[in-house]
């Protein structure tokens, strides 16, 4: 799934993305670390892996979108 980086805190390695429908979804340090990223800037397109539905939905991986 694709999304756009919305917020990122480099101290905690947590943040949030905006899905293409505008829904914000938070991610934790484990999801950021799983992607192997060093930094994330708001506005960057990212690829995310998600588990669960509705309120139980959580991001398990954040990585940069590549062609």
């Amino acid at each position: 799934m694709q999304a756009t980086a919305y917020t990122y805190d480099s101290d905690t390695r947590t943040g949030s993305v905006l899905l293409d429908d505008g829904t914000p979804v938070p991610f934790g340090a484990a999801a950021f670390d799983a992607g192997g990223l060093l930094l994330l800037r708001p506005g960057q397109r990212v690829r995310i892996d998600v588990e669960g539905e509705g309120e139980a939905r959580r991001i398990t991986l954040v990585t940069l979108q590549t062609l």
Side-chain angles (χ1 to χ4, degrees), residues 29-58:
F32 182 80
D33 293 343
L37 298 175
L38 300 176
L39 180 65
L40 190 60
R41 293 185 188 98
Q44 284 182 299
R45 287 296 284 176
V46 294
R47 186 178 68 81
I48 57 172
D49 288 350
V50 178
E51 289 182 351
E53 296 288 327
E55 293 295 318
R57 178 171 45 186
R58 70 181 189 94

Side-chain angles (χ1 to χ4, degrees):
M1 176 182 289
Q2 295 181 29
T4 302
Y6 185 52
T7 64
Y8 176 66
D9 182 327
S10 61
D11 292 332
T12 62
R13 298 182 327 283
T14 61
S16 63
V17 299
L18 290 177
L19 302 181
D20 289 343
D21 67 2
T23 303
V25 181
F27 64 85
F32 182 80
D33 293 343
L37 298 175
L38 300 176
L39 180 65
L40 190 60
R41 293 185 188 98
Q44 284 182 299
R45 287 296 284 176
V46 294
R47 186 178 68 81
I48 57 172
D49 288 350
V50 178
E51 289 182 351
E53 296 288 327
E55 293 295 318
R57 178 171 45 186
R58 70 181 189 94
I59 296 175
T60 59
L61 173 82
V62 178
T63 190
L64 292 181
Q65 178 65 35
T66 58
L67 298 176

